[in-house]
């Protein structure tokens, strides 16, 4: 169950990272409220997950999910570059690290 909670926390991290772009420097009310709410819920769920999971592993997995998801959505939503090195090199290394940490936990 802790891994499921951590996955949800990571998805919410993607939400608040992408939400930051839509807040326009925290000047738009609705995106700001949604982004801050997502931040709070994401960290709260991370806190629940670390009750059971090792802190270092949970934090690395949480940030990894957020990083990979934010990069992918940044490519689709904001036309960020989708280079070979960025997609296959860097994202693959992050996913491999996440998988390795999960397997060793």
């Amino acid at each position: 169950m802790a891994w499921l909670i951590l996955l949800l926390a990571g998805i919410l991290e993607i939400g608040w990272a992408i939400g930051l772009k839509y807040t326009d420097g925290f000047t738009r009310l609705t995106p700001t409220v949604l982004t801050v709410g997502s931040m709070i819920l994401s960290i709260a769920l991370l806190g629940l997950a670390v009750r059971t999971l090792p802190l270092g592993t949970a934090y690395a997995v949480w940030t990894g999910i957020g990083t990979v998801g934010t990069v992918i959505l940044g490519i689709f939503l904001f036309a960020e570059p989708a280079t070979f090195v960025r997609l296959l090199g860097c994202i693959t290394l992050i996913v491999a690290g996440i998988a390795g940490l999960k397997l060793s936990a």
Side-chain angles (χ1 to χ4, degrees):
M1 187 63 166
W3 286 107
L4 188 58
I5 291 170
L6 186 60
L7 175 64
L8 183 55
I11 291 168
L12 286 166
E13 186 187 5
I14 298 166
W16 70 255
I18 294 297
L20 286 172
K21 187 83 166 171
Y22 291 104
T23 67
D24 198 25
F26 297 105
T27 60
R28 297 179 60 214
L29 181 61
T30 301
T32 297
V33 169
L34 292 172
T35 298
V36 171
S38 185
M39 286 176 176
I40 292 168
L41 191 52
S42 178
I43 292 172
L45 290 173
L46 174 63
L48 290 175
V50 298
R51 286 176 157 177
T52 309
L53 301 173
L55 175 63
T57 300
Y59 184 76
V61 170
W62 178 69
T63 58
I65 292 168
T67 302
V68 170
T70 302
V71 168
I72 292 169
L73 283 177
I75 290 167
F76 287 104
L77 296 174
F78 308 121
E80 293 178 357
T83 63
F84 176 79
V85 171
R86 190 172 191 200
L87 291 176
L88 293 180
C90 298
I91 290 178
T92 300
L93 288 172
I94 293 168
V95 171
I98 292 169
L101 287 168
K102 184 184 182 310
L103 291 173
S104 68

